[in-house]
Short mmCIF file of all heavy atoms in Angstrom, two decimals:
data_model
loop_
_atom_site.label_atom_id
_atom_site.label_comp_id
_atom_site.label_asym_id
_atom_site.label_seq_id
_atom_site.Cartn_x
_atom_site.Cartn_y
_atom_site.Cartn_z
N ILE A 1 90.49 105.40 81.81
CA ILE A 1 90.98 106.14 82.98
C ILE A 1 92.08 105.33 83.62
O ILE A 1 91.85 104.21 84.10
CB ILE A 1 89.84 106.38 83.99
CG1 ILE A 1 88.69 107.16 83.33
CG2 ILE A 1 90.36 107.12 85.22
CD1 ILE A 1 87.46 107.28 84.22
N THR A 2 93.31 105.83 83.64
CA THR A 2 94.43 105.14 84.25
C THR A 2 94.93 105.92 85.46
O THR A 2 94.66 107.11 85.62
CB THR A 2 95.58 104.95 83.25
OG1 THR A 2 95.95 106.23 82.71
CG2 THR A 2 95.16 104.04 82.11
N GLY A 3 95.68 105.22 86.31
CA GLY A 3 96.26 105.87 87.48
C GLY A 3 95.27 106.17 88.58
O GLY A 3 95.57 106.94 89.50
N GLN A 4 94.09 105.56 88.54
CA GLN A 4 93.08 105.79 89.57
C GLN A 4 92.47 104.46 89.98
O GLN A 4 91.89 103.76 89.15
CB GLN A 4 91.99 106.74 89.08
CG GLN A 4 92.50 108.15 88.77
CD GLN A 4 91.38 109.11 88.45
OE1 GLN A 4 90.27 108.97 88.94
NE2 GLN A 4 91.67 110.10 87.62
N ALA A 5 92.62 104.13 91.25
CA ALA A 5 92.08 102.87 91.76
C ALA A 5 90.64 103.04 92.22
O ALA A 5 90.24 104.12 92.65
CB ALA A 5 92.93 102.37 92.92
N VAL A 6 89.87 101.98 92.12
CA VAL A 6 88.51 101.99 92.63
C VAL A 6 88.56 102.00 94.16
O VAL A 6 89.26 101.20 94.78
CB VAL A 6 87.73 100.75 92.13
CG1 VAL A 6 86.40 100.63 92.85
CG2 VAL A 6 87.53 100.83 90.63
N GLU A 7 87.83 102.91 94.76
CA GLU A 7 87.83 103.04 96.22
C GLU A 7 86.69 102.25 96.86
O GLU A 7 86.84 101.75 97.98
CB GLU A 7 87.73 104.52 96.61
CG GLU A 7 88.93 105.33 96.12
CD GLU A 7 88.72 106.83 96.25
OE1 GLU A 7 87.61 107.25 96.62
OE2 GLU A 7 89.66 107.58 95.96
N SER A 8 85.58 102.16 96.17
CA SER A 8 84.46 101.39 96.70
C SER A 8 83.52 101.03 95.56
O SER A 8 83.50 101.69 94.52
CB SER A 8 83.70 102.17 97.77
OG SER A 8 83.04 103.29 97.21
N ILE A 9 82.77 99.94 95.79
CA ILE A 9 81.74 99.52 94.85
C ILE A 9 80.48 99.21 95.64
O ILE A 9 80.53 98.53 96.66
CB ILE A 9 82.17 98.28 94.04
CG1 ILE A 9 83.44 98.57 93.24
CG2 ILE A 9 81.05 97.85 93.09
CD1 ILE A 9 83.93 97.38 92.43
N GLU A 10 79.38 99.74 95.17
CA GLU A 10 78.08 99.52 95.80
C GLU A 10 77.10 99.14 94.70
O GLU A 10 77.45 99.18 93.51
CB GLU A 10 77.62 100.79 96.51
CG GLU A 10 77.52 101.99 95.57
CD GLU A 10 77.25 103.29 96.31
OE1 GLU A 10 76.08 103.51 96.64
OE2 GLU A 10 78.21 104.05 96.53
N PRO A 11 75.87 98.77 95.03
CA PRO A 11 74.92 98.43 93.97
C PRO A 11 74.73 99.59 92.99
O PRO A 11 74.30 100.67 93.36
CB PRO A 11 73.63 98.15 94.74
CG PRO A 11 74.08 97.73 96.09
CD PRO A 11 75.31 98.54 96.37
N GLY A 12 75.15 99.37 91.74
CA GLY A 12 74.93 100.37 90.71
C GLY A 12 75.87 101.55 90.72
O GLY A 12 75.60 102.57 90.05
N ALA A 13 77.02 101.48 91.40
CA ALA A 13 77.93 102.62 91.40
C ALA A 13 79.33 102.22 91.86
O ALA A 13 79.50 101.30 92.67
CB ALA A 13 77.39 103.74 92.29
N VAL A 14 80.33 102.91 91.33
CA VAL A 14 81.71 102.78 91.80
C VAL A 14 82.21 104.16 92.19
O VAL A 14 81.71 105.18 91.70
CB VAL A 14 82.63 102.18 90.71
CG1 VAL A 14 82.13 100.81 90.26
CG2 VAL A 14 82.74 103.12 89.52
N THR A 15 83.20 104.19 93.07
CA THR A 15 83.80 105.46 93.47
C THR A 15 85.28 105.42 93.17
O THR A 15 85.99 104.50 93.59
CB THR A 15 83.58 105.73 94.98
OG1 THR A 15 82.18 105.80 95.24
CG2 THR A 15 84.24 107.04 95.39
N ILE A 16 85.76 106.42 92.42
CA ILE A 16 87.19 106.57 92.15
C ILE A 16 87.56 108.02 92.40
O ILE A 16 86.83 108.93 92.03
CB ILE A 16 87.56 106.16 90.71
CG1 ILE A 16 86.82 107.01 89.67
CG2 ILE A 16 87.30 104.69 90.47
CD1 ILE A 16 87.33 106.82 88.26
N ALA A 17 88.71 108.22 93.05
CA ALA A 17 89.21 109.56 93.36
C ALA A 17 88.13 110.41 94.03
O ALA A 17 87.99 111.60 93.75
CB ALA A 17 89.71 110.24 92.08
N GLY A 18 87.34 109.77 94.89
CA GLY A 18 86.31 110.49 95.61
C GLY A 18 85.07 110.81 94.81
O GLY A 18 84.11 111.40 95.33
N LYS A 19 85.04 110.38 93.54
CA LYS A 19 83.90 110.66 92.68
C LYS A 19 83.05 109.41 92.48
O LYS A 19 83.57 108.36 92.09
CB LYS A 19 84.36 111.19 91.33
CG LYS A 19 83.23 111.51 90.38
CD LYS A 19 83.76 112.00 89.03
CE LYS A 19 82.61 112.30 88.06
NZ LYS A 19 83.12 112.74 86.72
N ARG A 20 81.76 109.51 92.76
CA ARG A 20 80.85 108.39 92.60
C ARG A 20 80.32 108.37 91.17
O ARG A 20 79.82 109.37 90.65
CB ARG A 20 79.68 108.51 93.58
CG ARG A 20 78.70 107.34 93.56
CD ARG A 20 77.62 107.56 94.61
NE ARG A 20 76.70 106.43 94.69
CZ ARG A 20 75.63 106.30 93.91
NH1 ARG A 20 75.34 107.22 93.00
NH2 ARG A 20 74.83 105.25 94.05
N ILE A 21 80.43 107.21 90.51
CA ILE A 21 79.97 107.04 89.14
C ILE A 21 78.86 105.99 89.13
O ILE A 21 79.11 104.81 89.43
CB ILE A 21 81.11 106.61 88.21
CG1 ILE A 21 82.25 107.63 88.24
CG2 ILE A 21 80.59 106.43 86.78
CD1 ILE A 21 83.48 107.17 87.48
N ALA A 22 77.66 106.40 88.82
CA ALA A 22 76.53 105.46 88.74
C ALA A 22 76.55 104.76 87.39
O ALA A 22 76.89 105.37 86.36
CB ALA A 22 75.22 106.21 88.94
N ALA A 23 76.20 103.48 87.38
CA ALA A 23 76.25 102.71 86.14
C ALA A 23 75.20 101.61 86.14
O ALA A 23 74.84 101.07 87.19
CB ALA A 23 77.64 102.09 85.97
N GLY A 24 74.72 101.29 84.94
CA GLY A 24 73.75 100.21 84.80
C GLY A 24 74.40 98.86 84.97
O GLY A 24 73.77 97.90 85.45
N THR A 25 75.68 98.75 84.56
CA THR A 25 76.41 97.49 84.67
C THR A 25 77.84 97.77 85.10
O THR A 25 78.47 98.70 84.60
CB THR A 25 76.43 96.75 83.32
OG1 THR A 25 75.09 96.48 82.89
CG2 THR A 25 77.18 95.42 83.44
N ILE A 26 78.34 96.95 86.03
CA ILE A 26 79.73 97.04 86.47
C ILE A 26 80.36 95.67 86.25
O ILE A 26 79.82 94.65 86.70
CB ILE A 26 79.84 97.44 87.95
CG1 ILE A 26 79.12 98.76 88.21
CG2 ILE A 26 81.31 97.56 88.37
CD1 ILE A 26 78.97 99.11 89.68
N VAL A 27 81.48 95.64 85.55
CA VAL A 27 82.17 94.39 85.24
C VAL A 27 83.55 94.41 85.87
O VAL A 27 84.27 95.41 85.79
CB VAL A 27 82.31 94.20 83.71
CG1 VAL A 27 83.01 92.87 83.41
CG2 VAL A 27 80.94 94.24 83.03
N TRP A 28 83.93 93.32 86.51
CA TRP A 28 85.23 93.23 87.17
C TRP A 28 86.21 92.41 86.33
O TRP A 28 85.89 91.33 85.87
CB TRP A 28 85.08 92.57 88.55
CG TRP A 28 86.34 92.56 89.35
CD1 TRP A 28 87.27 91.57 89.41
CD2 TRP A 28 86.82 93.60 90.21
NE1 TRP A 28 88.29 91.92 90.25
CE2 TRP A 28 88.04 93.17 90.76
CE3 TRP A 28 86.32 94.87 90.57
CZ2 TRP A 28 88.79 93.94 91.64
CZ3 TRP A 28 87.06 95.63 91.45
CH2 TRP A 28 88.28 95.18 91.98
N GLY A 29 87.41 92.96 86.17
CA GLY A 29 88.46 92.23 85.46
C GLY A 29 89.82 92.69 85.92
O GLY A 29 90.76 92.78 85.14
N ALA A 30 89.94 92.96 87.23
CA ALA A 30 91.13 93.65 87.74
C ALA A 30 92.24 92.74 88.23
O ALA A 30 93.28 93.23 88.64
CB ALA A 30 90.71 94.59 88.88
N GLY A 31 92.07 91.47 88.20
CA GLY A 31 93.15 90.60 88.65
C GLY A 31 92.64 89.24 89.05
O GLY A 31 91.46 89.07 89.35
N VAL A 32 93.53 88.26 89.03
CA VAL A 32 93.15 86.90 89.38
C VAL A 32 94.02 86.38 90.51
O VAL A 32 95.12 86.88 90.76
CB VAL A 32 93.25 85.94 88.18
CG1 VAL A 32 92.30 86.35 87.08
CG2 VAL A 32 94.68 85.90 87.65
N LYS A 33 93.51 85.38 91.18
CA LYS A 33 94.27 84.67 92.21
C LYS A 33 94.11 83.18 91.95
O LYS A 33 93.13 82.74 91.35
CB LYS A 33 93.75 85.03 93.61
CG LYS A 33 92.30 84.63 93.85
CD LYS A 33 91.86 84.98 95.26
CE LYS A 33 90.39 84.58 95.48
NZ LYS A 33 89.94 84.88 96.86
N ALA A 34 95.08 82.42 92.40
CA ALA A 34 95.03 80.98 92.20
C ALA A 34 93.85 80.37 92.94
O ALA A 34 93.39 80.90 93.95
CB ALA A 34 96.33 80.34 92.66
N SER A 35 93.37 79.27 92.43
CA SER A 35 92.27 78.55 93.08
C SER A 35 92.62 78.23 94.53
O SER A 35 93.77 77.97 94.88
CB SER A 35 92.00 77.24 92.32
OG SER A 35 91.21 76.36 93.09
N ASP A 36 91.60 78.23 95.37
CA ASP A 36 91.79 77.89 96.77
C ASP A 36 92.19 76.43 96.97
O ASP A 36 92.50 76.02 98.09
CB ASP A 36 90.50 78.18 97.56
CG ASP A 36 90.28 79.65 97.78
OD1 ASP A 36 91.27 80.41 97.68
OD2 ASP A 36 89.14 80.06 98.07
N ALA A 37 92.20 75.67 95.89
CA ALA A 37 92.62 74.27 95.99
C ALA A 37 94.04 74.16 96.53
O ALA A 37 94.42 73.13 97.11
CB ALA A 37 92.52 73.59 94.63
N GLY A 38 94.82 75.22 96.36
CA GLY A 38 96.19 75.19 96.84
C GLY A 38 96.31 75.00 98.34
O GLY A 38 97.31 74.45 98.84
N ARG A 39 95.28 75.41 99.08
CA ARG A 39 95.35 75.28 100.55
C ARG A 39 95.28 73.82 101.00
O ARG A 39 95.70 73.49 102.11
CB ARG A 39 94.23 76.09 101.19
CG ARG A 39 92.83 75.67 100.82
CD ARG A 39 91.78 76.61 101.41
NE ARG A 39 90.46 76.36 100.87
CZ ARG A 39 89.64 75.40 101.28
NH1 ARG A 39 90.02 74.61 102.27
NH2 ARG A 39 88.45 75.24 100.73
N TRP A 40 94.75 72.94 100.14
CA TRP A 40 94.67 71.52 100.51
C TRP A 40 96.03 70.84 100.52
O TRP A 40 96.20 69.78 101.10
CB TRP A 40 93.77 70.76 99.53
CG TRP A 40 92.37 71.24 99.47
CD1 TRP A 40 91.62 71.77 100.49
CD2 TRP A 40 91.51 71.23 98.31
NE1 TRP A 40 90.37 72.09 100.03
CE2 TRP A 40 90.27 71.77 98.71
CE3 TRP A 40 91.69 70.82 97.00
CZ2 TRP A 40 89.20 71.91 97.83
CZ3 TRP A 40 90.62 70.95 96.12
CH2 TRP A 40 89.40 71.49 96.54
N LEU A 41 96.99 71.46 99.85
CA LEU A 41 98.28 70.80 99.66
C LEU A 41 99.19 70.92 100.88
O LEU A 41 100.14 70.15 101.02
CB LEU A 41 98.99 71.39 98.43
CG LEU A 41 98.18 71.36 97.13
CD1 LEU A 41 98.98 71.98 96.00
CD2 LEU A 41 97.78 69.93 96.78
N GLY A 42 98.92 71.89 101.72
CA GLY A 42 99.74 72.05 102.91
C GLY A 42 101.16 72.47 102.61
O GLY A 42 102.10 72.10 103.32
#
């Protein structure tokens, strides 16, 4: 499913385009951010 962002995640379900999808397992792989160690550098 492309072109549709996740609107919310709750225990055992995600909502996209206003539709709630129940699931046994939800895995996240939508993006990364740098380690918070960067804040120590000032």
Side-chain angles (χ1 to χ4, degrees):
I1 301 173
T2 55
Q4 296 187 29
V6 170
E7 297 168 355
S8 68
I9 300 179
E10 58 188 279
V14 302
T15 299
I16 60 170
K19 180 181 179 182
R20 183 178 184 274
I21 302 172
T25 301
I26 304 170
V27 181
W28 186 266
V32 297
K33 62 178 180 179
S35 165
D36 286 340
R39 62 185 170 80
W40 300 327
L41 306 179

